[in-house]
Amino acid sequence: MANAIRALAMDAVQKANSGHPGMPMGMAEIAVALWARHLRHNPADPTWSDRDRFVVSNGHGSMLLYALLHLSGYALSMDDLRNFRQLHSKTPGHPEVDITPGVETTTGPLGQGIANAVGMALSEWLLASQFNKPGFDIVDHYTYVFLGDGCLMEGISHEVCSLAGTLGLSKLIVMYDDNGISIDGKVAGWFKDDTPKRFEAYGWHVVPNVDGHDVAAVDVAIAAAKQAGKPTLICCKSIIGKGAPTMQGTDKVHGAALGDTEIAATRAAIDWPYAPFEIPADVYADWDAKAKGTELQSAWNTKFAAYRAQFPAEAAEFERRMKGDLPAHFDQAVAAMIAACIEKKETIATRKASQNAIQTLAQVLPEFLGGSADLTGSNLTNWKECVAVRSGQPGNHINYGVREFGMSAIINGIALHGGFLPFGATFLTFSDYSRNALRMAALMKRRSLFVFTHDSIGLGEDGPTHQSVEHISSMRLIPNLDNWRPCDTVESAVAWAEAVRRRNGPSTLIFSRQNLPFLERTAIQVADIARGAYVLRDAPGAQALIIATGSEVELALKSADALATEGVTVRVVSMPSADVFERQDAAYKTSVLPKGLPRVAVEAGVSDFWFKYVGLEGKVIGIDTFGESAPAGALFKHFGFTTDKVVAAVKSVLN
């Protein structure tokens, strides 16, 4: 069974002349122990809600996963393996969720797979606490992870494994491929951590020095891990590229095809006399998991049917949440929330407006799972009834600690698992720490929500280290990521509602520290907020147009007033989400931004992004330097965010 993995890995990489055969060949016996003796899954239904989750965090070894999926009976054919790393194949270079049946998450950037897995294990525990009843453990599965030295060297592994140990996520079982080799060679020259002691310090159960090529030894370690009551790290000593006579144990087998000569020698060494991509029938029979998987899921279906009979409301709610559907009364709740904002007319910071929206939405979204990276009192992502998650104490609000990257990747894992709608927060300037997890959320098209407060120089005295300048524009460059920067309570409520409604990708919600005034709107204008940009104030025969976002919308309106006293008529457009606006039809976009109308954009951030809207003849009031340490009012004046400056810019484009 292990040699079938080795053969498929080296053959597929050889045919593609690209890939990483060493990890699959080295972890083959570990895979046999897990998949043949422990993993609960059903190849006929990769989305079965109570399946065990399996994550290959060292995603460069993707052929291990593809071989396992093919051999055990998933809808992944031998032709798919032959097309490894080819255009539009079901076997891309690194595993991608929704591309290959049975792949749980997109891995490749090292460390994020284990982070996603922590999110999955966290979801399993919290979901079980909400839905399981005596005699009805309808949520009862494990999350298994393969990882290597690279994942452990990445700092994110510390962030998430520390939190997993603190929370005692006992159904998280990790198998460490301790082969001592990375791309540059023997890792001892740059990685001499005592990994077992490191994980013991986190509060994990650790099994050191397991022979990774002894199926029985790995099997025993996994069985013990299930009884440990803690997350478990199984340290498997292995030989990278095992079976390749002259290359095993070296970096030569890490990330390149073995070559015809070495492959032929490997076939002889492992006694594999079969042609490339040929698997004998008895090996297929040993690997086939279809019958067992059907039996496992059938037993669960029977249990769930009994659960439904006794707890019909809970069963219906469980199914709704696992599908990701919103409650039937969600739209009604959103309409009431927006109406309340209009009635109250509050002048408050949009971070507070965000908390008000969270408070309202939490009443109708039991799947809300919030949190903050040690800034709850500043980000305001908690709500009155929320319960803090602690070891042995399930809840719905997570104190992630100062772990921005880990938080964001864990959120992705929660979104991948299903059953929760996760969000987490930090200051906007620290989105840099989270950036690759935001990118992965967008790539995976998952409903992960990222809250960023203190969105500009408006945070004041903390200075340029904390003042966001380039961050919003840089996040707008990430495909499939919706970024919202609202200007008041109404736009904040709409932004939250649209982020929650979105099913095919993540959103960022970007809020101010300082108070912003409530703005009057018509019902049509309120409805158009959801389109990303709209005409907030129009003027007959408008001579120019000002586009603004967030705290700068108020400045745009005041500037329009000043221009009106001089006989210059100006249209003001609020653009809380350029990403959403770009998806509107051409007619709507033209109705908001008419061609030929001179334009000025105002945003307290880098100016380059806005030239796509104002053109080279337009003007941008922005910030193309870092900030300063001073009160917010002084900073806005210092950097030219004044009525006089905007008025002058409008006059210049008219001339």
Side-chain angles (χ1 to χ4, degrees):
M1 293 173 75
N3 285 339
I5 294 173
R6 292 189 172 95
L8 289 174
M10 65 183 184
D11 290 342
V13 172
Q14 180 70 17
K15 186 174 187 299
N17 195 29
S18 174
H20 300 75
M23 182 280 248
M25 296 174 73
M27 294 194 79
E29 282 85 7
I30 304 170
V32 172
L34 175 61
W35 277 62
R37 304 189 182 187
H38 292 276
L39 194 72
R40 296 175 67 256
H41 64 118
N42 183 7
D45 184 4
T47 65
W48 170 34
S49 65
D50 203 39
R51 69 192 181 278
D52 288 339
R53 271 58 169 182
F54 174 65
V55 174
V56 179
S57 190
N58 43 353
H60 55 272
S62 56
M63 265 310 303
L64 172 69
L65 180 52
Y66 299 151
L68 289 166
L69 294 170
H70 169 76
L71 291 167
S72 62
Y74 285 78
L76 196 68
S77 69
M78 190 64 83
D79 283 341
D80 291 323
L81 301 192
R82 290 189 180 97
N83 286 329
F84 178 55
R85 291 189 163 222
Q86 305 308 299
L87 185 64
H88 303 315
S89 76
K90 292 167 69 174
T91 50
H94 292 83
E96 295 184 41
V97 68
D98 298 332
I99 299 295
T100 313
V103 170
E104 299 285 0
T105 180
T106 300
T107 54
L110 293 176
Q112 288 196 65
I114 175 60
N116 295 163
V118 170
M120 293 173 185
L122 180 60
S123 297
E124 191 277 340
W125 169 47
L126 296 178
L127 206 63
S129 73
Q130 293 182 14
F131 286 98
N132 286 357
K133 304 290 184 182
F136 294 100
D137 291 338
I138 62 167
V139 181
D140 185 15
H141 53 266
Y142 287 86
T143 301
Y144 296 100
V145 184
F146 282 4
L147 57 68
D149 291 308
C151 292
L152 295 178
M153 283 187 259
E154 290 285 2
I156 191 175
S157 70
H158 165 69
E159 296 183 29
V160 301
C161 293
S162 169
L163 184 60
T166 300
L167 295 179
L169 301 180
S170 60
K171 289 190 174 179
L172 176 63
I173 300 175
V174 178
M175 276 141 277
Y176 165 34
D177 181 28
D178 185 8
N179 59 38
I181 296 292
S182 67
I183 291 174
D184 280 357
K186 294 182 179 180
V187 301
W190 49 88
F191 184 58
K192 295 186 71 174
D193 299 11
D194 189 330
T195 297
K197 287 184 179 178
R198 169 186 164 188
F199 276 77
E200 287 173 1
Y202 292 152
W204 286 50
H205 169 65
V206 177
V207 186
N209 298 315
V210 174
D211 182 350
H213 302 296
D214 183 339
V215 173
V218 178
D219 174 25
V220 168
I222 297 172
K226 292 179 178 180
Q227 308 301 318
K230 301 177 179 180
T232 294
L233 180 73
I234 302 172
C235 301
C236 301
K237 292 289 185 180
S238 66
I239 300 171
I240 190 170
K242 182 171 173 59
T246 69
M247 292 185 179
Q248 67 177 16
T250 73
D251 57 283
K252 293 180 181 179
V253 77
H254 185 286
L258 301 184
D260 292 334
T261 300
E262 186 74 4
I263 286 177
T266 302
R267 278 186 152 76
I270 65 174
D271 191 21
W272 190 262
Y274 309 103
F277 300 103
E278 179 184 343
I279 303 294
D282 61 329
V283 175
Y284 268 128
D286 288 341
W287 269 114
D288 192 350
K290 294 191 293 292
K292 182 181 178 182
T294 299
E295 180 183 338
L296 288 168
Q297 187 170 354
S298 178
W300 183 87
N301 289 341
T302 299
K303 181 192 297 184
F304 190 75
Y307 178 88
R308 186 198 305 279
Q310 194 163 340
F311 307 102
E314 289 86 345
E317 178 69 1
F318 177 78
E319 291 181 315
R320 177 190 72 79
R321 286 174 54 172
M322 292 305 294
K323 290 177 183 176
D325 294 340
L326 295 175
H329 53 293
F330 177 77
D331 290 343
Q332 181 181 351
V334 167
M337 173 175 66
I338 295 170
C341 292
I342 295 170
E343 181 181 354
K344 292 178 181 178
K345 305 182 189 304
E346 292 179 297
T347 292
I348 55 177
T350 53
R351 61 172 174 159
K352 180 60 180 174
S354 167
Q355 186 179 44
N356 292 344
I358 292 170
Q359 180 65 48
T360 298
L361 294 174
Q363 310 309 307
V364 295
L365 294 172
E367 58 265 48
F368 250 11
L369 183 56
S372 174
D374 202 49
L375 289 168
T376 303
S378 293
N379 300 147
L380 304 182
T381 48
N382 55 341
W383 61 101
K384 291 177 183 177
E385 302 84 4
C386 71
V387 176
V389 175
R390 297 288 185 266
S391 178
Q393 175 188 298
N396 52 10
H397 190 274
I398 302 167
N399 298 101
Y400 284 99
V402 188
R403 301 181 177 104
E404 296 90 353
F405 190 8
M407 172 184 71
S408 301
I410 287 172
I411 285 171
N412 289 343
I414 294 168
L416 286 157
H417 181 278
F420 291 101
L421 205 171
F423 61 92
T426 186
F427 289 167
L428 178 58
T429 192
F430 302 136
S431 63
D432 283 338
Y433 287 138
S434 300
R435 186 178 178 86
N436 204 261
L438 269 64
R439 183 178 187 272
M440 296 305 292
L443 178 61
M444 294 189 287
K445 300 183 174 67
R446 282 316 187 262
R447 187 162 53 184
S448 299
L449 307 184
F450 304 101
V451 177
F452 298 117
T453 68
H454 297 60
D455 66 347
S456 70
I457 56 171
L459 72 86
E461 292 86 345
D462 277 340
T465 60
H466 284 53
Q467 291 165 5
S468 301
V469 175
E470 75 279 19
H471 299 80
I472 299 174
S473 285
S474 71
M475 291 192 301
R476 288 172 179 143
L477 297 175
I478 299 176
N480 197 44
L481 177 64
D482 282 359
N483 300 279
W484 290 89
R485 187 179 183 234
C487 72
D488 71 349
T489 57
V490 176
E491 285 193 0
S492 298
V494 172
W496 261 107
E498 291 307 303
V500 168
R501 285 189 176 114
R502 190 178 186 215
R503 296 288 297 267
N504 63 345
S507 301
T508 72
L509 297 150
I510 301 165
F511 300 113
S512 73
R513 175 182 184 269
Q514 73 275 27
N515 288 345
L516 303 180
F518 169 82
L519 303 177
E520 295 285 354
R521 299 174 182 82
T522 66
I524 292 175
Q525 287 174 317
V526 172
D528 283 344
I529 295 171
R531 304 186 78 166
Y534 63 102
V535 179
L536 178 59
R537 180 186 295 175
D538 211 354
Q543 298 164 266
L545 182 151
I546 304 175
I547 309 169
T549 77
S551 53
E552 290 71 67
V553 172
E554 178 189 13
L555 175 59
L557 291 170
K558 288 181 176 179
S559 301
D561 290 339
L563 285 160
T565 65
E566 300 183 36
V568 179
T569 53
V570 175
R571 169 181 286 194
V572 176
V573 170
S574 177
M575 189 178 286
S577 179
D579 310 281
V580 174
F581 180 65
E582 285 300 322
R583 293 200 294 271
Q584 306 308 307
D585 60 79
Y588 179 76
K589 288 193 282 189
T590 301
S591 74
V592 175
L593 304 176
K595 295 179 180 178
L597 198 61
R599 303 172 185 179
V600 172
V602 187
E603 185 174 63
V606 293
S607 60
D608 282 3
F609 169 82
W610 289 103
F611 286 101
K612 70 181 288 185
Y613 290 114
V614 303
L616 296 180
E617 300 78 17
K619 296 288 185 181
V620 180
I621 307 297
I623 304 176
D624 292 310
T625 66
F626 292 111
E628 297 282 352
S629 181
L635 289 170
F636 278 113
K637 184 177 180 180
H638 172 75
F639 285 104
F641 289 89
T642 64
T643 301
D644 288 345
K645 186 74 177 287
V646 179
V647 166
V650 171
K651 289 180 178 179
S652 73
V653 299
L654 288 174
N655 292 332

